[in-house]
Amino acid sequence: MGDKLKISDGALARLGLLDVDAIAAAEALLAQVQDSDLETIRILFPDQHGVLRGKTIVAAAFASAVSSGIAAPSTLFLKDTAHRTVYPVWDASGDSPVQGAGDVLLVPDPATFRVLPHAPGSAWILCDAVMKSGAPLPFAPRTVLRRAVAQLAATGLQLRVGLEVEFHVFAVTDDALSHVEATMPPAPPQTRNLAPGYQFLTETVYARLEPFAEKLRRMIQAVGLPLRSMEVEMGPSQLEFTFDPADPMTHADHLVMLRTLVKEICAQDGLHATFMSRPKVENGCASGWHLHQSLLDDTGASVMMPAQDGTLSPQAAGWIAGLLDHAVESCLLTTPTVNGYKRYQPFKLAPDRVVWGRDNRGAMLRALMAPGDPASRVENRVPEAAANPYYAFASQILSGLDGITRGLTPPPPVENPYADAAQVLPASLGAAIEAFETSTFYRAALGDGVVDYLVRLKRTEWERYLAHVSDWEQAEYFGLY
């Protein structure tokens, strides 16, 4: 009873951030922790890049965390991928969305609590980040996705998504921990392959990778992620893991957990896991994130099943048309890194233009639909595995819903997606930034503040890239001129 009073009278409840159900969930979780042998809890939140950040507290401090939240520096939301703060925080007249390097408040979500099998005595929990006043941070990833989900629900529809995530696992030959390599960003490790490549789905290659793949499987299932399959992908040391469908927020949480868990477990064994789209390794292969999406009504029935003659339902037609219509301006959310655009190559089972096809792996949208099939769905092959899943899922919901609302219909499906004279996807992060920045759709859907915030972060990253002298430039010009 004392715990109940503490949580219901705590700062989070006073700020209106915990309703009756949330208080009950916090009470149950606190009792679980107090009855366990846990020693530490990692209080984490997904940042603007889909990277988990946070603090580790002792288990005895968990009651305070679930009743009053945990403070974290607001500057964590102002950093680019090099961890550089790109907004001025000391100039009150500046354009920073937060000033003075003050704190934001982390609100733990009991549904995300996981005991960590690879870290005995420890657990983690994901949080929503809000202002100290309790006001939402409009650009916080979970806030952006939650609002998109609510907009879809208001129409009587819900989205189910499935994850197919490709990544690499390499052996580390040099961990790059010398003092001179402690830069921003730090120097990458040197690696070698664990298995040869270009032997897609080969059983003997999987057997070679099985010792660590099985360890990953056990750990992933131990934290409750709905793993379905582990597959040898095309490239050297490349794997694909697939997962059962779930709602967007659950799977966004799952994806940031997966990436973090895989990297931490591999690091314990001297391995380096990366979800980077196209690592700079000899004879390497690009990784993608195939985003399956199925639209359901409020009873849970599919509205994407075509008619017996194959005609698309109005909802499926609108959803596909909306995804196509907003594909280019969505790329900043689905492909947010410089590297991701180097995957868009023709005849490489990756899209390079805005088209859809029926069960066509070269098309941007692969429609997997059949009369009477309740699993009828669309697979978007644009996103990179390094994308922030909260922003990526929000982009799909907002785009698809707009297509339905406007009654759009897609063009005919293509047979040869690389020969079609359709609009091309952005060729670079710079082009994606421009498309997103000038998007009247996203300025209306997300607000000017969110659009300008993301543009500022990604433009800083793009400008640093442009200022870097590459190996190609050195080889091309240093001897010639």
Side-chain angles (χ1 to χ4, degrees):
M1 187 67 177
D3 291 335
K4 180 177 181 180
L5 292 173
K6 182 176 181 180
I7 293 175
S8 61
D9 294 337
L12 298 182
R14 292 198 305 272
L15 290 171
L17 299 173
L18 300 181
D19 59 17
V20 173
D21 291 339
I23 291 172
E27 291 170 358
L29 178 57
L30 180 57
Q32 175 186 339
V33 170
Q34 290 174 335
D35 291 340
S36 73
D37 57 0
L38 289 171
E39 299 178 9
T40 60
I41 314 293
R42 304 177 190 183
I43 310 294
L44 307 173
F45 70 94
D47 76 357
Q48 58 277 18
H49 307 295
V51 174
L52 290 182
R53 299 179 185 263
K55 303 180 179 182
T56 299
I57 62 173
V58 297
F62 191 59
S64 175
V66 295
S67 64
S68 299
I70 293 285
S74 61
T75 51
L76 293 172
F77 280 103
L78 307 180
K79 297 184 182 297
D80 66 6
T81 47
H83 302 268
R84 300 172 186 266
T85 301
V86 303
Y87 278 91
V89 295
W90 310 118
D91 179 6
S93 63
D95 60 352
S96 175
V98 291
Q99 293 291 343
D103 286 335
V104 294
L105 188 63
L106 303 182
V107 182
D109 179 355
T112 66
F113 182 82
R114 300 290 191 278
V115 175
L116 298 179
H118 66 294
S122 190
W124 70 25
I125 189 169
L126 304 188
C127 301
D128 286 297
V130 301
M131 299 297 289
K132 288 192 295 184
S133 65
L137 279 172
F139 47 78
R142 290 182 110 230
T143 299
V144 169
L145 178 54
R146 186 174 289 109
R147 288 176 171 173
V149 169
Q151 289 181 45
L152 184 62
T155 69
L157 297 172
Q158 55 183 304
L159 183 65
R160 297 281 286 180
V161 292
L163 300 182
E164 289 185 4
V165 187
E166 298 170 352
F167 60 98
H168 291 86
V169 179
F170 301 116
V172 175
T173 58
D174 182 347
D175 55 13
L177 289 178
S178 69
H179 293 299
V180 72
E181 293 169 307
T183 52
M184 293 180 69
Q190 299 298 307
T191 60
R192 65 172 178 82
N193 294 324
L194 293 173
Y198 305 100
Q199 300 179 61
F200 183 46
L201 296 184
T202 303
E203 163 61 17
T204 54
V205 176
Y206 183 80
R208 186 168 180 169
L209 299 174
E210 189 174 30
F212 79 86
E214 274 297 288
K215 182 176 181 180
L216 290 178
R217 178 192 63 78
R218 289 192 295 271
M219 300 295 185
I220 289 169
Q221 291 184 308
V223 298
L225 273 60
L227 183 65
R228 173 176 286 187
S229 70
M230 303 84 66
E231 304 170 10
V232 172
E233 254 301 328
M234 179 66 73
S237 274
Q238 189 180 37
L239 293 166
E240 179 180 77
F241 282 13
T242 72
F243 296 82
D244 291 333
D247 66 273
M249 183 65 76
T250 296
H251 257 346
D253 290 341
H254 285 168
L255 185 51
V256 294
M257 289 181 186
L258 172 72
R259 292 193 304 220
T260 304
L261 192 67
V262 168
K263 292 181 77 69
E264 290 181 358
I265 292 169
C266 287
Q268 289 180 344
D269 291 335
L271 306 175
H272 178 70
T274 181
F275 293 80
M276 177 182 179
S277 184
R278 195 174 179 186
K280 186 185 176 184
V281 295
E282 293 295 328
N283 302 310
C285 192
S287 292
W289 167 25
H290 304 149
L291 201 170
H292 293 256
Q293 38 200 301
S294 178
L295 205 58
L296 312 176
D297 63 20
D298 53 11
T299 71
S302 172
V303 298
M304 278 191 162
M305 282 190 296
Q308 286 300 319
D309 63 358
T311 302
L312 295 178
S313 70
Q315 297 93 335
W319 194 267
I320 291 172
L323 294 182
L324 294 173
D325 193 42
H326 299 300
V328 170
E329 57 198 327
S330 295
C331 275
L332 191 71
L333 304 179
T334 60
T335 313
T337 74
V338 168
N339 184 256
Y341 294 86
K342 297 179 179 180
R343 173 175 153 261
Y344 297 161
Q345 302 290 330
F347 310 108
K348 299 289 187 182
L349 294 178
D352 71 341
R353 61 202 71 193
V354 182
V355 296
W356 77 285
R358 297 184 185 275
D359 198 6
N360 191 316
R361 283 185 166 85
M364 187 194 95
L365 297 181
R366 177 186 176 213
L368 298 165
M369 301 175 176
D373 182 4
S376 292
R377 63 197 184 278
V378 172
E379 175 191 17
N380 192 336
R381 297 174 67 83
V382 163
E384 65 172 322
N388 185 323
Y390 304 93
Y391 293 152
F393 286 145
S395 76
Q396 304 302 282
I397 293 171
L398 296 172
S399 297
L401 180 58
D402 183 60
I404 292 175
T405 302
R406 291 162 56 200
L408 299 182
T409 56
V414 301
E415 294 295 334
N416 186 344
Y418 301 118
D420 194 87
Q423 184 179 22
V424 296
L425 291 167
S428 70
L429 179 61
I433 292 170
E434 181 178 357
F436 185 71
E437 183 176 28
T438 58
S439 170
T440 56
F441 168 71
Y442 275 116
R443 289 193 175 276
L446 298 177
D448 288 336
V450 175
V451 171
D452 292 340
Y453 163 79
L454 291 172
V455 165
R456 174 70 170 268
L457 290 177
K458 302 313 293 186
R459 179 164 284 141
T460 301
E461 185 178 337
W462 176 242
E463 289 173 348
R464 284 196 296 108
Y465 171 74
L466 291 177
H468 173 72
V469 178
S470 67
D471 291 344
W472 185 93
E473 294 167 271
Q474 185 75 358
E476 190 80 2
Y477 305 126
F478 191 61
L480 179 63
Y481 294 111

